[in-house]
Amino acid sequence: MSEIPAEQTQTTQTNLEVAETSTASSISLVENVKMSVGNFFNSWKFKLGLAAVAMFGVLLLWFFWEHIIADMGMKSWAARSGAQPVECMLRDTNGDEYVSCSALLDQQVVPLQCSSSLFNIGCRVNYGTAAPKLNPKT
């Protein structure tokens, strides 16, 4: 029988204790990180911040909704007529559910009235108060 010297046995036991301690500390470190991340997502500050960001996003969408729909209509009108879309106003200023837009057709600016309703996407040419010029019969 071979006997293991007492010094070697103590060294082996010490190495095992160090390995167990380092494994336990790394597991506790992971658990601490999981717990702190979980506490962050469960905190009232995170929930309030998330609600504030969501409310801000909804308000931005509500404010720009008319512009977004009118811009879609202007781009659609420009694609069908061969014009280049320019820009739309942000809001409907006179309450007729049309937003003022403009497009460039044959190097001339065409004033448009584009719908701000999702159910009526499209534009109409706005001649203003002037009547279109007609060719007189002679």
Side-chain angles (χ1 to χ4, degrees), residues 37-56:
V37 168
N39 287 341
F40 172 74
F41 286 119
N42 287 330
S43 71
W44 65 271
K45 292 176 184 177
F46 174 75
K47 291 176 184 175
L48 182 65
L50 191 61
V53 167
M55 182 65 110
F56 184 70

Side-chain angles (χ1 to χ4, degrees), residues 37-131:
V37 168
N39 287 341
F40 172 74
F41 286 119
N42 287 330
S43 71
W44 65 271
K45 292 176 184 177
F46 174 75
K47 291 176 184 175
L48 182 65
L50 191 61
V53 167
M55 182 65 110
F56 184 70
V58 167
L59 288 174
L60 274 177
L61 183 64
W62 174 75
F63 181 79
F64 287 108
W65 183 254
E66 291 176 343
H67 175 75
I68 293 168
I69 300 300
D71 199 46
M72 287 172 37
M74 177 192 57
K75 288 178 182 176
S76 173
W77 183 90
R80 285 186 314 237
S81 65
Q84 179 182 0
V86 177
E87 188 60 49
C88 288
M89 299 293 287
L90 284 177
R91 309 280 297 177
D92 172 21
T93 55
N94 60 358
D96 66 349
E97 293 188 7
Y98 282 88
V99 175
S100 299
C101 298
S102 58
L104 195 60
L105 180 64
D106 296 330
Q107 301 302 319
Q108 292 182 345
V109 176
V110 178
L112 300 172
Q113 289 289 312
C114 297
S115 175
S116 62
S117 172
L118 190 59
F119 301 110
N120 183 24
I121 296 177
C123 296
R124 61 187 181 194
V125 177
N126 182 17
Y127 294 109
T129 58

Side-chain angles (χ1 to χ4, degrees), residues 4-26:
I4 302 173
E7 291 176 11
Q8 193 175 13
T9 305
Q10 285 179 343
T11 306
T12 305
Q13 286 176 351
T14 307
N15 288 342
L16 288 174
E17 288 172 3
V18 168
E20 288 175 5
T21 305
S22 65
T23 304
S25 66
S26 66

Side-chain angles (χ1 to χ4, degrees), residues 22-38:
S22 65
T23 304
S25 66
S26 66
I27 290 173
S28 66
L29 178 66
V30 170
E31 291 299 321
N32 285 340
V33 168
K34 283 182 182 178
M35 190 179 306
S36 64
V37 168

